[in-house]
Amino acid sequence: MSTSEHRQLGRSGIQVPLLTFGGNVFGWTADQSTSFSLLDALVEKGLNFIDTADVYSRWVPGNEGGESETIIGNWLKQSGKRDKIILATKVGMDLGDGKTGLAPKYIRQAVEASLKRLQTDYIDLYQAHRDDEDTPLQDTLATFDALIKEGKVRAIGASNYSADRLSEALKISADAGLARYETLQPEYNLYDREGYESGLEAVVEEHGLGVINYYSLASGFLSGKYRKPEDAAKSARGQGVVEKYLNDRGLKIVHALVEVAEAHHASPTQVALAWQIARPSITAPIVSATSLAQVDELAKATQLKLTDADKRLLSEVSSY
């Protein structure tokens, strides 16, 4: 089964499937051979939009960052499938040794390092991983604009920006004739709605930005596998998930997901993603998998059409 429906990333002209695959697992919970098989399966199923970052996976003991990009680059070289994927990466998180932020000189250095690791001569979507208030927005945007003109980057995006700063960046691009952020990558899921819906959503709708949201399954909580404190033992991140999400509101959301899933012969994971895909301002939620079975489950989420009653129920139980 291949997912066929596509959406445009902002006004970039770049068409992507209804889900984005998060490459943070490559070089972390998926070794290189597993990562290669996942990438092959994703392309086969039409889930060919891969999002990574130069900092992935620096948090793993013994890693220094760049591991995810390196694995993707090795796969691109071996498979020859560069033209089969839409490739997104990010710059700006702290890589140590002063490698951080969005100053022009550093962006230049970072993009060359990413291109080398990815073994490609262009990046489809290059994103500011977080706002850098120490660097004038115009300087950052002018550098990104130059990279687009040089053919090294096709479009740019922002992650972890406030609504005010995103609005300011878009105004500067318009006034100065510079390339603009075409996408936003915020935290968003059925549980964590307020941060996005209370300000950012209005900005992206006004300006026609694409949205590729992260933590779309609330670190696995929305899969329904955490329903009591003892379930924290089910994964490495389980304790944090239980502490943050296992409360009355969280359980109401999970129970509603299970109810809707049963009606559709689907899984809570698929329903949680289908609710986001159906939201007008969302382009393609970011999801991850470490097994081929999980890739299959994710692909099926793109085919699931919720009823208006389903969407209403999920929106009501998750209201904040």
Side-chain angles (χ1 to χ4, degrees):
M1 182 194 75
S2 176
T3 63
S4 53
E5 191 180 339
H6 283 71
R7 293 171 175 173
Q8 184 170 240
L9 284 178
R11 299 175 191 157
S12 68
I14 299 172
Q15 299 287 328
V16 297
L18 302 184
L19 290 174
T20 310
F21 190 82
N24 62 327
V25 294
F26 303 144
W28 175 27
T29 46
D31 61 16
Q32 179 158 293
S33 65
T34 302
S35 300
F36 278 24
S37 66
L38 289 169
L39 284 159
D40 287 334
L42 289 162
V43 169
E44 186 184 318
K45 292 188 180 299
L47 295 175
N48 64 334
F49 183 27
I50 313 298
D51 175 72
T52 187
D54 57 5
V55 76
Y56 299 164
S57 47
R58 188 169 184 246
W59 57 85
V60 179
N63 283 5
E64 54 187 31
E67 290 78 15
S68 174
E69 288 184 335
T70 297
I71 285 175
I72 294 169
N74 290 342
W75 175 79
L76 288 174
K77 184 180 181 184
Q78 187 197 69
S79 67
K81 292 179 180 173
R82 178 65 187 92
D83 62 334
K84 297 280 193 286
I85 67 164
I86 305 297
L87 186 54
T89 192
K90 311 181 203 72
V91 57
M93 287 294 189
D94 190 358
L95 279 168
D97 299 325
K99 297 176 182 174
T100 186
L102 299 172
K105 186 179 176 185
Y106 177 60
I107 290 175
R108 285 279 179 187
Q109 178 188 338
V111 75
E112 294 303 333
S114 285
L115 288 168
K116 187 175 180 183
R117 285 189 293 263
L118 291 164
Q119 300 191 52
T120 183
D121 54 6
Y122 71 99
I123 292 161
D124 294 289
L125 178 66
Y126 198 40
Q127 301 157 96
H129 205 155
R130 66 177 175 198
D131 191 5
D132 174 7
E133 296 193 3
D134 295 328
T135 301
L137 284 165
Q138 180 145 350
D139 292 358
T140 295
L141 291 162
T143 308
F144 283 146
D145 183 78
L147 292 176
I148 291 174
K149 289 189 169 84
E150 290 162 25
K152 292 178 179 178
V153 170
R154 292 177 67 196
I156 56 171
S159 182
N160 300 305
Y161 273 55
S162 68
D164 287 347
R165 288 282 286 179
L166 181 61
S167 293
E168 190 183 344
L170 291 165
K171 184 176 189 313
I172 287 169
S173 290
D175 291 349
L178 297 170
R180 67 168 206 161
Y181 289 137
E182 292 295 348
T183 59
L184 174 69
Q185 188 169 143
E187 178 178 9
Y188 187 62
N189 57 59
L190 264 167
Y191 188 100
D192 299 296
R193 293 175 56 187
E194 188 173 6
Y196 171 68
E197 291 180 19
S198 64
L200 286 163
E201 188 170 37
V203 178
V204 303
E205 288 186 321
E206 180 187 348
H207 295 277
L209 270 61
V211 176
I212 51 174
N213 50 297
Y214 65 87
Y215 288 166
S216 59
L217 293 171
S219 300
F221 178 73
L222 299 177
S223 70
K225 69 180 177 183
Y226 303 100
R227 301 195 206 182
K228 51 190 186 300
E230 304 85 85
D231 291 338
K234 289 186 176 180
S235 79
R237 59 188 179 179
Q239 191 56 47
V241 173
V242 164
E243 287 171 4
K244 180 174 180 183
Y245 298 110
L246 196 66
N247 51 45
D248 285 348
R249 179 168 169 265
L251 286 171
K252 278 183 190 166
I253 293 169
V254 167
H255 290 149
L257 285 169
V258 170
E259 181 186 324
V260 174
E262 286 174 351
H264 288 274
H265 306 290
S267 69
T269 291
Q270 290 162 346
V271 174
L273 294 173
W275 179 85
Q276 291 169 62
I277 290 168
R279 191 166 186 92
S281 70
I282 299 293
T283 309
I286 299 172
V287 290
S288 288
T290 53
S291 71
L292 298 180
Q294 289 172 341
V295 172
D296 283 341
E297 182 182 19
L298 295 172
K300 287 174 184 162
T302 66
Q303 311 288 324
L304 179 58
K305 300 294 183 214
L306 301 178
T307 66
D308 288 342
D310 295 333
K311 289 181 272 192
R312 210 162 34 243
L313 169 67
L314 293 166
S315 295
E316 284 168 3
V317 299
S318 63
S319 63
Y320 50 88

